[in-house]
Amino acid sequence: MRGDQHTKPALVELAGVTKVYGTGGAATHALRGIDLRIEEGDFVAVMGASGSGKSTCLNILGCLDTPTSGSYLFRGVEVGRLTRNQRALLRRHYFGFVFQGYNLLSRTSALENVELPLVYRGIPAMERRRLARRALAAVGLEQHEKHSPAELSGGEQQRVAIARALVTEPQVLLADEPTGNLDTARSVEIMELITSFNRDRGITVVMVTHETEMAAYADWVASFVDGRVESIARHDEVA
Amino acid sequence: MLYNAFRLALHEIRRNVMRSSLTILGVVIGVAAVITMVNIGSGATVQVTEQIASLGTNLLIVTPGQRMGMGQRAPAPAFDVDDAEAIAREVSSVAGVAPSSSRLVTAVFGNENWSTSVVGTDNRFLEVGNWSLEAGREFTESERRAGSAVCILGATVRRELFGNQDPLGSKIRLEKLACQVIGILQSKGQSTMGTDRDDLVLVPLRTFQRRLAGNQDVRLIQVSIDKGSSTEVAEEEIKRLMRKRRHISPAEDDDFSVMDLKEITRMLTGTTQVLTALLGAVAAVSLLVGGIGIMNIMLVSVTERTREIGTRLAIGALEREVLTQFLVEAVVLSSFGGVFGVLLALIASVVASKALRVPFVFNPGIAIVGFLFSVGVGVVFGYFPARKAARMDPIEALRHE
Ligand SMILES: Nc1ncnc2c1ncn2[C@@H]1O[C@H](COP(=O)(O)OP(=O)(O)OP(=O)(O)O)[C@@H](O)[C@H]1O
Ligand SMILES: [Mg+2]
């Protein structure tokens, strides 16, 4: 297992992370003790049944959410101890998100959606526009930059979300089922794109997927069962 | 960052033109009301000042008796012509003195009759009171001395008795006195207190005393003071003189009073200013209501855009940035209200000043204050919704339906 090698400094280190939503009888144990170590440059696939805690884990990795207990070290920093604004700055400067529900701004053009993370990074308007156009072209949507999400198909919206996550060339790409709505040909294209970012620019990728073909692009696969990591294996070892 | 927030705000407002317009209506009305009230108030102040000026500046009015609160007077002997002449002779810096007495009399011409104030006086009344003749002539010296049956009509009396006819040379009846019309006064319009200043008939003082009053009394002495001289000094001199002439011992109070018109001006402008402030305050309340309207819509907008806020926070927006975005939106909204409010106030001030017959005054200072007020309303009432947006938990916001 990669987790035992300790040669490179760990980018992400989860130890005994739990997440409980609600209290008392209504409490949901989304995560029941996750130990996970991700090195810089890794391409990790996260698999598991619906409700097994994959998105919850991704939210915690992306500093959107904090663990109920346990420790999350990002580059050696305990994220749980950071303030809201410090976590916002981490998200802004280190992470790119592809949300399960895309979360594009409605009534806002594809181009402007892709520009959004650049706005918060303080990139000047001209440069923003150029980078956003390039990212849209990379996902094959150069013809749709003026369209708002309501005027795009589900798969097109998903690709806008991918462009938005990649436009900043983040250190870590967190993608929740980025190909869930795409046909096979498109899926392969997107996976090639993500792989090239991972391989050529050293971007760490954590990708939730239900499809073994997509998981095959990853270096290794973490399988979630009921809020726990049941197994960690190279993709070719996955049954 | 601020530029971006500004652009986003305009974008958001354009997206909901109808709602935005209705939202700012409260602020529009509030700002317009404040500015209009203050403009009308300033107009009224100008009017008061102008009217007092038209009475003649530096005018002192000497009357027998002392004021005892609301309009009451202690009984006191009247003046006579010699008192007036003594003032003219002995008080320094006197420009003119006009003794007069008056009574309400029904004036009759043909089938027309009109109840008016008949004033017995002389030509100095015209000079001291800034009156000029529209037609005819003043009293002659012989008419004054003889107490002839001649009269000069105020514009109102002329209109009521003669309509479009030329009254010069005609005879009107004032009780037992039939007198010939020799002149017509230029109209002065309404006074500050709303009384008609043109509702009078002038006759020589002696005529009035003999034929209408049956005594030698002078009930009112108007004294005009040279421009640039102190009315206070003249007032003191008149008081000293009258005390001597009326044999008032040092222990006694004056049994006459000297009023300074300037003082009355100050008093009246003071009153209109207080009134203006009061109306302005009432109008400011409507501005407050407008602000609550903005807060309400901003809260609705924040709730509607919960997912957007979640997305922004998730992508790395700081609390401060989300706060700024919504605050700027509220301020832009309310400033639009302010701008339209100022425009509406401009129109309303013109219309209202016409309707109330007050001079039109547009005070740019108050327009600016009104606009800044609308900006302030946006900041104050936009802050709470904006803070609500900024404090959202990104995960919960993203899960919001
Ligand atoms: N904010 C929340 N409040 C309450 N329960 C929650 C919340 N978020 C997640 N859960 C619960 O936590 C559990 C794990 O949810 P999670 O979204 O992580 O699952 P998942 O593995 O991503 O599933 P899927 O493959 O369907 O996306 C689920 O039972 C879910 O109902
Ligand atoms: Mg999920």
Side-chain angles (χ1 to χ4, degrees), chain A residues 54-55 100 176-177:
Chain A
K54 307 182 294 295
S55 296
Q100 195 167 13
D176 208 340
E177 299 189 43

Side-chain angles (χ1 to χ4, degrees), chain B residues 179-227:
Chain B
C179 62
Q180 189 181 15
V181 179
I182 59 164
I184 296 155
L185 294 172
Q186 202 100 48
S187 170
K188 276 196 175 193
Q190 279 196 356
S191 78
T192 319
M193 283 79 101
T195 56
D196 180 0
R197 286 183 294 172
D198 298 322
D199 191 3
L200 82 176
V201 174
L202 303 183
V203 298
L205 181 60
R206 180 157 293 179
T207 315
F208 182 87
Q209 288 171 335
R210 283 205 199 134
R211 314 279 294 269
L212 289 170
N215 57 38
Q216 298 297 304
D217 292 354
V218 166
R219 293 250 140 229
L220 189 140
I221 305 174
Q222 297 179 57
V223 183
S224 67
I225 307 298
D226 284 334
K227 278 215 167 59

Side-chain angles (χ1 to χ4, degrees), chain A residues 21 59 64-65 84-85 88-89 91-92 97 99 101 103 105-108 112 116-117 119-120 128 164, chain B residues 4 7 11 15 307-308 311-319 321 325 390-395 398:
Chain A
Y21 290 109
N59 286 342
L64 260 176
D65 214 347
R84 250 172 80 96
N85 274 333
L89 287 172
R91 295 197 290 275
R92 174 188 297 190
F97 271 98
F99 299 100
N103 289 320
L105 299 192
S106 56
R107 293 173 295 185
T108 304
E112 281 178 307
L116 195 62
V119 171
Y120 289 114
R128 225 153 61 198
R164 184 178 67 186
Chain B
N4 259 311
R7 247 198 35 199
H11 195 75
R15 183 179 290 170
R307 280 179 72 94
E308 174 194 329
T311 305
R312 289 179 182 276
L313 288 169
I315 276 171
L318 298 177
E319 266 181 52
E321 290 163 332
Q325 184 190 334
R391 296 257 173 107
M392 278 183 183
D393 179 61
I395 294 286
L398 285 176

Side-chain angles (χ1 to χ4, degrees), chain A residues 19-22 26 28-31 48-59 65 100 176-177 208 210 224, chain B residues 395-396 399:
Chain A
K19 184 73 194 178
V20 183
Y21 290 109
T28 311
H29 293 262
L31 299 178
S50 185
S52 57
K54 307 182 294 295
S55 296
T56 306
C57 185
L58 222 57
N59 286 342
D65 214 347
Q100 195 167 13
D176 208 340
E177 299 189 43
V208 174
H210 286 293
F224 276 54
Chain B
I395 294 286
E396 272 167 32
R399 289 173 68 93

Side-chain angles (χ1 to χ4, degrees), chain A residues 160-218:
Chain A
V160 174
I162 292 164
R164 184 178 67 186
L166 288 175
V167 73
T168 56
E169 298 191 7
Q171 284 212 354
V172 186
L173 174 68
L174 301 171
D176 208 340
E177 299 189 43
T179 59
N181 245 319
L182 303 181
D183 57 71
T184 319
R186 276 290 176 209
S187 299
V188 169
E189 263 178 57
I190 292 299
M191 288 318 300
E192 294 293 345
L193 182 71
I194 291 175
T195 308
S196 77
F197 268 79
N198 170 250
R199 199 179 46 228
D200 306 339
R201 305 178 206 205
I203 288 178
T204 309
V205 179
V206 181
M207 177 183 74
V208 174
T209 182
H210 286 293
E211 297 159 274
T212 16
E213 300 88 60
M214 301 305 138
Y217 287 89

